[in-house]
C-alpha cells in the first residue's frame, strides 16, 4: 500500500490479458484530484481499467491504487470513498428508484435524516422526483443513467468514477449532469474520473486527461500539456488567392492533410516552425493578402486524433 | 412492508397452498393385496404413491405366520437383488393376524410386501390396505389460505386505507410526520441490509414455481382419476392395477426431469434478473464484499429451504400425537438430519467453488446456481427418498439392474419406463450441467 499520495488514482505497469488478447499493456497512469477525462478509442482498455480499479476483475500483472489503497487488498476501504456509475447500470426491474437509493444510502451508513435529505435533493436535481416510486423496469434509458448517477453521488464520495455518464441522455439532462459535476467539485471538492466518447463534453468540464491507446497511456495532463506532446498542428488560412496557396502547400513535406472549404484552407502540418516561416515568405514573395490565420489546436478532439495517429504511425 | 412485497408474499403462500393441496390429495388411494393362497416362499407386493404423513391402515389375517414389509423404492430394488438378511425396510411385522396403522414418513413411492416364509401354502383370509386421506395438511392449508386472504383483504378491500388513516391519526402529533415513510435503521449493518434485500428478491423466484406446481397438480389430478376408477370387484382389476403401477412409475421417474427443467428455468431467472451481470457489478461497486453477498444469498436460500421441512416433519409429528403409529416419530425426525446433512453438503460444495474460483465473481454465480438446484429439489419434492433419485449412482444402479433384467427376464421387477427414465435422467443431467457450466464459464468477467 502506498501511504499518503498526491494521486487519487495510480497504476503501475498494469497488465491484463484475456487469454490471447492483451487488454492492458504496462499501463502507467497518475490522476490528481479534480475532474479527469479518460479517453481512448473503442477497445483501448478504458473499461478494463475501470473494472480493475473497482476490483471486478484482477490484473494479470502490475498494481493499481485508489487513494493509495491497493485495489485488490483494500477494496472495501476504496468502495466506501468512491461512487460509481457503470456503463451497464442495472438493478432488478421491480425495484423502485427510491428503494434503490435507500438501499445504497444504508450501505454507506448515512444517518437517517441526512439520507432522506440527499435522496430528495438528488431526485429533484436530476428531475426524477415524479418517478421516485416507479419501478426501474419502466424507466427509459436516460432515466436509468440518471438514477445511477444519483446513486453514485448519494454518499458524497471523494471520488466518482463515471463510465459513459451521458450516454442515452437528452441534451438538457446532459447539461444538468455537467452542472452537477462542476458544482460537486467546487462545493465538496469531489473528484471525478470520467470515461466518455463525447470529447466535446469532456472538454467543457475536465481539468486533466488521460489518453489510452492499445492498453497504454499515450498522453496525460492538461490540454496544454497534451498539446505539447504532439508535433502536429491544424491551421485555418484565408488569402486573396486560394488556388496559389493550395498549390504551394501541396508540395510541402510537412503538410499531412489539406482541404478547402469556402475559400478557407485547413491544413494539418507536422512541423509548425518551418511551416510558419515558409508561409510568410511565400505570402510576401507572391504579394498575397492574408485575411485569416489561426491555429485550432486547443481542441481535445484534434489532440486526441493526432496522438492516436502518431502512435499508430 | 410495501404492497409489492405483500404481493410477493401472497404469491409465495399460494405456491405453498398448491404444494400442500397436492399432498393432501395424494393421500387418498387404497386397495387390497394378496388375498387367497400363497405358495411356499411366495412374495406379493403392491405399490403406493403417498405423501408424508399419510396413514395406511393394514388388516391382514392368515392361516399361518407371515411377514409384511413396508419399504421405499431403493430398499425394494435391493430387496430383490440381495439376501433377505441384508434387507432394510421402513416397517416390518410378523404374525397370523396383523392389524396396524403405518404412517408414511416422506413423500414418494412405497412398496407393501407380503412374504410367506413357510415351506407350505398359507391362506390369506383377509387383506385390507387403506390409505387415509392426508388430512394432516389441512391446518397448514387453512393457515396459508388465511394469510393470503388477509393480504388480499388488506390490499384490495380498503383495509389498508383504514389502517393508514388510524396510523395517521395516532402519528398526528409527531414532529416530522411528512418524512415518516422513510425509516432507516441506524443499527443495521451491511449483512442485515443485504439480507432484507435478498429476501425481497427471493420471493420473485418462487413465482416460477407456480408454473411447475400447476403442471404437477394436473398430473396429480389424472393420477387420482385413474386410481379412483380401480375397484376391488372390477373384473379388469389386475389390468388396471398394472396400469396404475406403470403410471406411478412414470410419475416418480419423471419427477427428476421436471425438477431439472424447473431448476434450469430458475437458474436462468437468476442470470436474467437479479444476478444479471449488470446488477452484480453494481452491487460489487457498492460497499459490499463478495463474501457478504455470497453468505447472505446462501442464508436466504437456506431459510426458504427450511419452509417445507418445517411442514413435513411437523405434520408427521402432529399426526402421531393422536395416533400411536409405531416408528412414525422416529421416521419424521430421521428426515431432519438427512436434510441438514444434504444441505450442508451442497453448502460445502458452494463454499468450495467459491474458494477455488475466488478470483472472479463467476464463483458467486455458480454457487447461486447450485443453491437454486437445491432449493427447487427440496421445496417441490419434500422427500428424502426422492433425493436418492438425483444421486447419479442410484441412476446408474437402476440402469445396471435394468440391463440385468433384460438379460435374465422376469427375475428383477424393472419396467422399461424405469430404465428409459434413468437413462434419460443421466443424459439430461449431464446436458444441463454442461449447458449451465458453459453459461457460467464462457466469459471471464462479470461486467
Amino acid at each position: 500500500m502506498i501511504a499518503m499520495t498526491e494521486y487519487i488514482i495510480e497504476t503501475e505497469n498494469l497488465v491484463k490479458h484475456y487469454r490471447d488478447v492483451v487488454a492492458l499493456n504496462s499501463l502507467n497512469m497518475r490522476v490528481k484530484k479534480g475532474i479527469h477525462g479518460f479517453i481512448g478509442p473503442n477497445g483501448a482498455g478504458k473499461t478494463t481499467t475501470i473494472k480493475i480499479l473497482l476490483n471486478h476483475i484482477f490484473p494479470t500483472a502490475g498494481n493499481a491504487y485508489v487513494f493509495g489503497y491497493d485495489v485488490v487488498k483494500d477494496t472495501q476501504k476504496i468502495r466506501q470513498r468512491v461512487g460509481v456509475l457503470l456503463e451497464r447500470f442495472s438493478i432488478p426491474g421491480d425495484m423502485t428508484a427510491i428503494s434503490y437509493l435507500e438501499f445504497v444510502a444504508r450501505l454507506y451508513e448515512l444517518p437517517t435524516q441526512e439520507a432522506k435529505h440527499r435522496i430528495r435533493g438528488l431526485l429533484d436535481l436530476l428531475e426524477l422526483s415524479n418517478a421516485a416510486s416507479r419501478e426501474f423496469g419502466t424507466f427509459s434509458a436516460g432515466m436509468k443513467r440518471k438514477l445511477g448517477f444519483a446513486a453514485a453521488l448519494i454518499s458524497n464520495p471523494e471520488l466518482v468514477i463515471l463510465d459513459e455518464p451521458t450516454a442515452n441522455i437528452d441534451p438538457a439532462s446532459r447539461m444538468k449532469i455537467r452542472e452537477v459535476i462542476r458544482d460537486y467539485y467546487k462545493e465538496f471538492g469531489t473528484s471525478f474520473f470520467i470515461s466518455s466518447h463525447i470529447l466535446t463534453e469532456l472538454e467543457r468540464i475536465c481539468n486533466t486527461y488521460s489518453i489510452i491507446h492499445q492498453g497504454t497511456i499515450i498522453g496525460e495532463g492538461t490540454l496544454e500539456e497534451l498539446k505539447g506532446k504532439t508535433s502536429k498542428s491544424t491551421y485555418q488560412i484565408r488569402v486573396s488567392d486560394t488556388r496559389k496557396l493550395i498549390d504551394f502547400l501541396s508540395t510541402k513535406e510537412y503538410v499531412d492533410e489539406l482541404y478547402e472549404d469556402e475559400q478557407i484552407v485547413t491544413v494539418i502540418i507536422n512541423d509548425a516552425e518551418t511551416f510558419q516561416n515558409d508561409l510568410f515568405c511565400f505570402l510576401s514573395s507572391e504579394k498575397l493578402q492574408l485575411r485569416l490565420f489561426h491555429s485550432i489546436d486547443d481542441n481535445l478532439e484534434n489532440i486526441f486524433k493526432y496522438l492516436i495517429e502518431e502512435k499508430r504511425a | 412492508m410495501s404492497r409489492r412485497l405483500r404481493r410477493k408474499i401472497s404469491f409465495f403462500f399460494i405456491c405453498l397452498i398448491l404444494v400442500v393441496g397436492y399432498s393432501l390429495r395424494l393421500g387418498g388411494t387404497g386397495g387390497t393385496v394378496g388375498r387367497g393362497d400363497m405358495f411356499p416362499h411366495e412374495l406379493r407386493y403392491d405399490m403406493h404413491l403417498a405423501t408424508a404423513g399419510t396413514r395406511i391402515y393394514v388388516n391382514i389375517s392368515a392361516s399361518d405366520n407371515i411377514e409384511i414389509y413396508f419399504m421405499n423404492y431403493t430398499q425394494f430394488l435391493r430387496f430383490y437383488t440381495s439376501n433377505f438378511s441384508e434387507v432394510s425396510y421402513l416397517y416390518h411385522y410378523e404374525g397370523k393376524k396383523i392389524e396396524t396403522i403405518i404412517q408414511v414418513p416422506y413423500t414418494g413411492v412405497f412398496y407393501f410386501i407380503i412374504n410367506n416364509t413357510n415351506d407350505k401354502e398359507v391362506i390369506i383370509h383377509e387383506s385390507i390396505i387403506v390409505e387415509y386421506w392426508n388430512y394432516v395438511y389441512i391446518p397448514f392449508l387453512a393457515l396459508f389460505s388465511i394469510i393470503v386472504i388477509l393480504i388480499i383483504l388488506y390490499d384490495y378491500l380498503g383495509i389498508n386505507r383504514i389502517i393508514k388513516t388510524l396510523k395517521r391519526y395516532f402519528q398526528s402529533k409527531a414532529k416530522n410526520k411528512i418524512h415518516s415513510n422513510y425509516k432507516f435503521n441506524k443499527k443495521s449493518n451491511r449483512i442485515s441490509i443485504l439480507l432484507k434485500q435478498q429476501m425481497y428478491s427471493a420471493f420473485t423466484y418462487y413465482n416460477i414455481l407456480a408454473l411447475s406446481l400447476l403442471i404437477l397438480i394436473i398430473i396429480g389430478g389424472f393420477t387420482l382419476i385413474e386410481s379412483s376408477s380401480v375397484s376391488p370387484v372390477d373384473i379388469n382389476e389386475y389390468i388396471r392395477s398394472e396400469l396404475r403401477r406403470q403410471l406411478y412409475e412414470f410419475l416418480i421417474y419423471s419427477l427428476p426431469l421436471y425438477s431439472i427443467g424447473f431448476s434450469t428455468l430458475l437458474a436462468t431467472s437468476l442470470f436474467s434478473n437479479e444476478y444479471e451481470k449488470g446488477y452484480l457489478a453494481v452491487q460489487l461497486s457498492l460497499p459490499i464484499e463478495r463474501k457478504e453477498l455470497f453468505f447472505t444469498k446462501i442464508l436466504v436460500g437456506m431459510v426458504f429451504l427450511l419452509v417445507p421441512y418445517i411442514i413435513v416433519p411437523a405434520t408427521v409429528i402432529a399426526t402421531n400425537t393422536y395416533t400411536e403409529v409405531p416408528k412414525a416419530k422416529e421416521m419424521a425426525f430421521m428426515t431432519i438430519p438427512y436434510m441438514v446433512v444434504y444441505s450442508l453438503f451442497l453448502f460445502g460444495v458452494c463454499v468450495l467453488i467459491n474458494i477455488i474460483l475466488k478470483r472472479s465473481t463467476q464463483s458467486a454465480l455458480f454457487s447461486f446456481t447450485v443453491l437454486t438446484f437445491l432449493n427447487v429439489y427440496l421445496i417441490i419434492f419434500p422427500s428424502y427418498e426422492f433425493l436418492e433419485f438425483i444421486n447419479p449412482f442410484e441412476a446408474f444402479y437402476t440402469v445396471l439392474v435394468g440391463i440385468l433384467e433384460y438379460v435374465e427376464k422376469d427375475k428383477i421387477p424393472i419396467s422399461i419406463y424405469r430404465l428409459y427414465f434413468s437413462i434419460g435422467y443421466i443424459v439430461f443431467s449431464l446436458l444441463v450441467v454442461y449447458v449451465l457450466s458453459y453459461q457460467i464459464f464462457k466469459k471471464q468477467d462479470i461486467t
Side-chain angles (χ1 to χ4, degrees):
Chain A
M1 191 187 94
I2 296 173
M4 295 302 290
T5 170
E6 59 175 312
Y7 302 111
I8 52 169
I9 296 173
E10 194 172 4
T11 65
E12 288 175 353
N13 301 318
L14 205 60
V15 177
K16 178 66 185 175
H17 291 183
Y18 294 106
R19 291 185 185 156
D20 299 335
V21 180
V22 181
L24 296 181
N25 185 11
S26 197
L27 184 110
N28 288 294
M29 179 171 66
R30 286 186 175 86
V31 179
K32 287 182 181 174
K33 281 185 179 177
I35 306 175
H36 187 86
F38 189 45
I39 53 180
N42 286 335
K46 295 190 298 294
T47 307
T48 302
T49 309
I50 289 177
K51 281 179 192 173
I52 290 175
L53 294 177
L54 299 172
N55 197 27
H56 287 179
I57 58 171
F58 296 81
T60 312
N63 297 304
Y65 306 95
V66 176
F67 298 119
Y69 293 115
D70 188 305
V71 294
V72 178
K73 292 174 190 162
D74 301 307
T75 317
Q76 274 306 94
K77 287 176 185 165
I78 296 169
R79 283 181 187 164
Q80 277 162 356
R81 295 169 66 178
V82 175
V84 180
L85 169 61
L86 296 169
E87 189 180 2
R88 288 170 58 187
F89 172 75
S90 174
I91 62 171
D94 60 352
M95 210 170 190
T96 62
I98 205 152
S99 61
Y100 177 65
L101 292 176
E102 280 177 0
F103 170 63
V104 175
R106 284 182 188 195
L107 284 171
Y108 282 107
E109 294 170 14
L110 291 184
T112 312
Q113 289 302 322
E114 182 65 23
K116 278 187 236 170
H117 178 72
R118 285 192 203 173
I119 289 171
R120 279 173 182 263
L122 283 165
L123 288 174
D124 283 344
L125 195 66
L126 295 164
E127 291 155 358
L128 287 173
S129 296
N130 292 337
S133 301
R134 260 173 64 185
E135 291 181 358
F136 182 74
T138 65
F139 275 29
S140 70
M143 287 165 82
K144 286 178 181 175
R145 306 278 321 142
K146 285 201 272 184
L147 178 64
F149 186 58
L153 293 174
I154 201 157
S155 64
N156 237 349
E158 290 167 60
L159 168 67
V160 180
I161 296 176
L162 304 172
D163 197 359
E164 298 294 344
T166 53
N168 300 316
I169 290 184
D170 60 82
S173 301
R174 268 188 211 171
M175 278 172 63
K176 177 60 86 179
I177 286 178
R178 282 205 301 269
E179 197 182 305
V180 172
I181 291 173
R182 267 192 228 109
D183 288 351
Y184 264 73
Y185 175 57
K186 278 182 195 164
E187 202 174 326
F188 306 110
T190 309
S191 295
F192 288 84
F193 182 79
I194 310 168
S195 164
S196 176
H197 288 293
I198 309 169
L199 301 184
T200 48
E201 210 166 80
L202 284 182
E203 209 176 336
R204 289 180 194 173
I205 47 171
C206 293
N207 320 117
T208 52
Y209 306 88
S210 293
I211 300 177
I212 184 173
H213 178 62
Q214 291 178 344
T216 314
I217 296 292
I218 57 167
E220 206 171 35
T222 61
L223 204 61
E224 279 303 310
E225 286 166 345
L226 286 175
K227 198 177 160 186
K229 287 185 194 299
T230 174
S231 56
K232 289 190 179 187
S233 313
T234 307
Y235 290 90
Q236 285 186 328
I237 312 159
R238 191 173 174 188
V239 290
S240 46
D241 189 341
T242 312
R243 184 56 21 213
K244 269 189 181 176
L245 179 69
I246 291 171
D247 290 344
F248 166 72
L249 287 174
S250 51
T251 60
K252 301 297 176 188
E253 280 182 4
Y254 48 74
V255 174
D256 283 349
E257 271 182 57
L258 178 71
Y259 50 91
E260 185 234 328
D261 185 24
E262 292 181 0
Q263 295 194 325
I264 294 174
V265 177
T266 304
V267 59
I268 300 172
I269 50 98
N270 55 39
D271 185 348
E273 206 177 316
T274 317
F275 162 70
Q276 285 186 17
N277 289 337
D278 272 9
L279 180 72
F280 289 108
C281 286
F282 167 72
L283 293 175
S284 60
S285 64
E286 294 291 326
K287 293 178 183 170
L288 296 177
Q289 198 182 352
L290 183 64
R291 290 172 184 159
L292 173 77
F293 180 79
H294 76 99
S295 163
I296 52 168
D297 283 344
D298 51 347
N299 176 322
L300 181 62
E301 214 162 88
N302 281 345
I303 293 169
F304 173 74
K305 192 177 140 194
Y306 300 155
L307 283 170
I308 296 287
E309 278 173 3
E310 278 174 10
K311 185 73 185 171
R312 277 181 186 151
Chain B
M1 190 190 289
S2 71
R3 182 172 174 157
R4 203 168 289 104
L5 183 59
R6 286 196 300 274
R7 219 159 55 200
K8 286 184 176 188
I9 292 172
S10 64
F11 207 91
F12 168 68
F13 278 106
I14 289 169
C15 293
L16 278 182
I17 289 169
L18 295 179
V19 177
V20 174
Y22 181 58
S23 308
L24 183 82
R25 298 185 81 184
L26 273 183
T29 56
T32 62
V33 62
R35 272 181 301 181
D37 294 352
M38 278 186 87
F39 297 115
H41 301 287
E42 189 191 341
L43 284 173
R44 287 177 185 175
Y45 70 90
D46 191 27
M47 183 185 279
H48 299 257
L49 179 67
T51 49
T54 304
R55 286 174 298 139
I56 299 173
Y57 171 71
V58 179
N59 186 1
I60 294 172
S61 60
S63 59
D64 210 333
N65 274 359
I66 52 156
E67 281 183 331
I68 61 166
Y69 292 94
F70 189 75
M71 55 182 66
N72 66 30
Y73 159 75
T74 314
Q75 289 167 337
F76 182 66
L77 272 186
R78 291 195 177 125
F79 176 75
Y80 266 86
T81 52
S82 61
N83 294 325
F84 256 95
S85 56
E86 294 169 14
V87 163
S88 61
Y89 48 81
L90 299 173
Y91 294 99
H92 172 238
Y93 301 96
E94 201 173 341
K96 281 186 181 179
K97 170 82 178 166
I98 302 165
E99 188 175 2
T100 186
I101 295 171
I102 291 169
Q103 189 154 37
V104 177
Y106 42 81
T107 308
V109 172
F110 298 91
Y111 290 81
F112 188 85
I113 297 165
I114 302 177
N115 182 22
N116 177 10
T117 51
N118 302 294
D119 295 329
K120 57 180 182 183
E121 277 190 18
V122 168
I123 302 159
I124 307 290
H125 301 300
E126 195 177 17
S127 170
I128 301 166
I129 301 159
V130 181
E131 291 169 26
Y132 293 112
W133 277 74
N134 203 348
Y135 295 115
V136 290
Y137 287 94
I138 287 178
F140 292 92
L141 205 61
L143 179 69
F144 300 150
S145 307
I146 288 166
I147 293 169
V148 173
I149 289 165
L150 282 177
I151 291 172
I152 292 168
L153 284 175
Y154 185 83
D155 270 345
Y156 300 102
L157 296 181
I159 294 178
N160 58 337
R161 282 196 291 275
I162 298 167
I163 293 171
K164 271 182 190 170
T165 313
L166 287 171
K167 256 188 184 175
R168 225 172 281 140
Y169 174 76
F170 288 114
Q171 285 174 349
S172 59
K173 287 176 186 174
K175 284 180 184 175
N176 204 7
K177 66 174 183 178
I178 300 165
H179 301 299
S180 61
N181 52 335
Y182 299 106
K183 280 176 188 168
F184 294 120
N185 183 3
K186 283 180 188 172
K187 288 178 187 172
S188 61
N189 55 22
R190 286 202 302 274
I191 297 286
S192 64
I193 296 161
L194 270 176
L195 272 177
K196 193 182 165 192
Q197 216 267 325
Q198 305 279 20
M199 287 291 273
Y200 181 86
S201 299
F203 278 112
T204 311
Y205 306 150
Y206 277 76
N207 294 357
I208 290 178
L209 296 184
L211 180 70
S212 60
L213 292 166
L214 279 174
I215 297 167
L216 281 175
I217 282 187
I218 293 165
I219 295 167
F222 280 123
T223 317
L224 206 70
I225 293 162
E226 193 281 331
S227 62
S228 62
S229 67
V230 178
S231 158
V233 292
D234 198 308
I235 52 166
N236 293 320
E237 183 190 348
Y238 174 78
I239 297 162
R240 284 176 186 275
S241 299
E242 188 57 23
L243 275 174
R244 185 162 63 108
R245 193 176 71 84
Q246 296 285 2
L247 183 64
Y248 283 180
E249 287 194 349
F250 176 86
L251 285 177
I252 201 72
Y253 289 102
S254 55
L255 291 184
L257 294 180
Y258 292 130
S259 55
I260 288 171
F262 304 136
S263 301
T264 312
L265 264 177
L266 214 59
T268 314
S269 80
L270 284 181
F271 283 107
S272 63
N273 188 14
E274 190 190 5
Y275 290 99
E276 70 164 316
K277 289 178 181 178
Y279 186 48
L280 194 60
V282 166
Q283 283 180 303
L284 291 176
S285 306
L286 296 168
I288 301 170
E289 287 185 44
R290 289 177 197 212
K291 62 184 175 195
E292 288 170 345
L293 198 61
F294 174 71
F295 169 75
T296 49
K297 190 68 200 165
I298 293 283
L299 203 65
V300 170
M302 296 285 264
V303 168
F304 277 86
L305 176 87
L306 275 174
V307 174
Y309 290 99
I310 293 165
I311 299 169
V312 174
T315 50
V316 181
I317 294 162
T319 335
N320 201 47
T321 55
Y322 57 86
T323 55
E324 284 300 317
V325 180
K327 287 173 82 177
K329 197 179 266 181
E330 290 89 325
M331 293 280 185
F333 278 117
M334 206 166 77
T335 58
I336 298 169
Y338 192 95
M339 283 304 138
V340 171
V341 169
Y342 190 75
S343 313
L344 284 175
F345 165 72
L346 278 172
F347 184 78
V349 170
C350 295
V351 172
L352 198 68
I353 293 163
N354 217 37
I355 291 166
I356 294 166
L357 305 175
K358 67 179 177 183
R359 281 179 65 82
S360 81
T361 37
Q362 71 197 19
S363 57
L365 276 177
F366 189 76
S367 308
F368 299 153
T369 312
V370 171
L371 190 79
T372 313
F373 268 88
L374 168 79
N375 273 337
V376 176
Y377 275 128
L378 301 188
I379 286 165
I380 302 184
F381 309 109
S383 147
Y384 79 69
E385 185 202 3
F386 176 75
L387 294 173
E388 292 176 357
F389 288 108
I390 62 170
N391 178 348
F393 293 108
E394 286 292 332
F396 280 112
Y397 176 76
T398 308
V399 173
L400 189 70
V401 173
I403 293 164
L404 284 173
E405 184 203 32
Y406 193 74
V407 178
E408 300 175 56
K409 282 191 184 301
D410 299 333
K411 196 174 178 184
I412 303 154
I414 297 286
S415 77
I416 200 73
Y417 282 130
R418 187 178 298 161
L419 188 61
Y420 287 161
F421 279 117
S422 290
I423 294 169
Y425 165 64
I426 293 167
V427 173
F428 195 74
S429 302
L430 291 174
L431 194 72
V432 168
V433 168
Y434 170 77
V435 169
L436 283 177
S437 306
Y438 180 74
Q439 281 293 324
I440 294 158
F441 292 111
K442 71 176 177 180
K443 282 190 180 172
Q444 183 87 11
D445 306 315
I446 196 65
T447 53

